[in-house]
Amino acid sequence: MCQLLGLNCATPTDATFSFTGFRERGGNTDHHADGWGIAFFEGKGLRLFLDHQSAAHSPMAQFLQAYPLKSRNIIAHVRKATIGEVALENAHPFVRELWGRQWVFAHNGDLKDYAPPLHSHFRPVGSTDSERAFCWLMQELHKSHAGLPSVHELTHTLRELIPQVTRFGSFNFLLSNGEALWAHCSTNLHWLVRQHPFAQATLKDCDWTVDFATVNQPGDRAAVIVTTPLTSNEAWTAFTPDELKVFVDGLPIG
């Protein structure tokens, strides 16, 4: 299985603290050493970093810790290969364009014998069940809406589509178009919101404590979504099985 990390923020925020603990799970504190990736939205633009090396030992991951990028929507992934070889084209997150917007997707789980009909321009490049599921979701969203719908309408459509995938296996995923971040749990996913009044947080996977009151302004706010909690002293909320939540401006809205 893989692990997921997402941030949805009210103001541009860097992921240095969360990513520092998260990357340790890619080969040091856990066995997800078969590639990693992270995507940062910047307006309608996107910065995407992928590597088939383990996150814990990747020079690119080390670079990102020293060069923090700020974004309102961030998705990261560390991979334990189950379907598809260890290769750059199989590293998450995956990206596709729809309605003139970039869409980013990362998945944790196994979809057995999953071969959906793909008859539009959404086709997988690699060999993972995850990318096939993403292409199918994009295809079906495109078929369901003539243009970019509201976040509410997208959430409604996703709730109709997801059961058609989950019957093949576990489908924990993060999806964002730079406006909102959708998180679906089949088996294991947690979330919290960091906002004023800010407090200290201590990472589980390495020795680092940050007092967020010293680095944030009162208007800052960030929702953090992760497979298993990153910190030892914060109140994380577990998703329920088959729950889909959408986050906008650092808060869950559904």
Side-chain angles (χ1 to χ4, degrees), residues 5-9 13-15 18 71-75 174 181 194 222-225:
L5 169 65
L7 280 81
N8 171 268
C9 310
T13 302
D14 73 74
S18 296
S71 173
R72 293 180 62 192
N73 286 281
I74 301 167
I75 291 179
L174 300 177
L181 191 153
R194 294 190 182 118
V224 186
I225 305 96

Side-chain angles (χ1 to χ4, degrees), residues 50-133:
L50 299 171
D51 199 343
H52 65 281
Q53 300 183 56
S54 69
H57 304 105
S58 166
M60 188 186 299
Q62 182 63 43
F63 161 77
L64 287 173
Q65 283 189 218
Y67 182 58
L69 297 170
K70 291 190 174 184
S71 173
R72 293 180 62 192
N73 286 281
I74 301 167
I75 291 179
H77 182 276
V78 289
R79 183 175 184 233
K80 174 64 176 174
T82 54
I83 299 175
E85 65 181 348
V86 178
L88 189 61
E89 64 266 25
N90 289 331
H92 308 217
F94 302 105
V95 178
R96 293 293 188 278
E97 178 276 330
L98 178 59
W99 301 308
R101 301 289 293 266
Q102 302 274 22
W103 292 73
V104 174
F105 173 89
H107 168 230
N108 163 29
D110 287 327
L111 302 173
K112 302 298 185 183
D113 302 316
Y114 182 66
L118 298 174
H119 47 76
S120 71
H121 65 280
F122 298 107
R123 300 277 184 172
V125 175
S127 55
T128 65
D129 54 336
S130 306
E131 191 181 14
R132 289 195 295 274

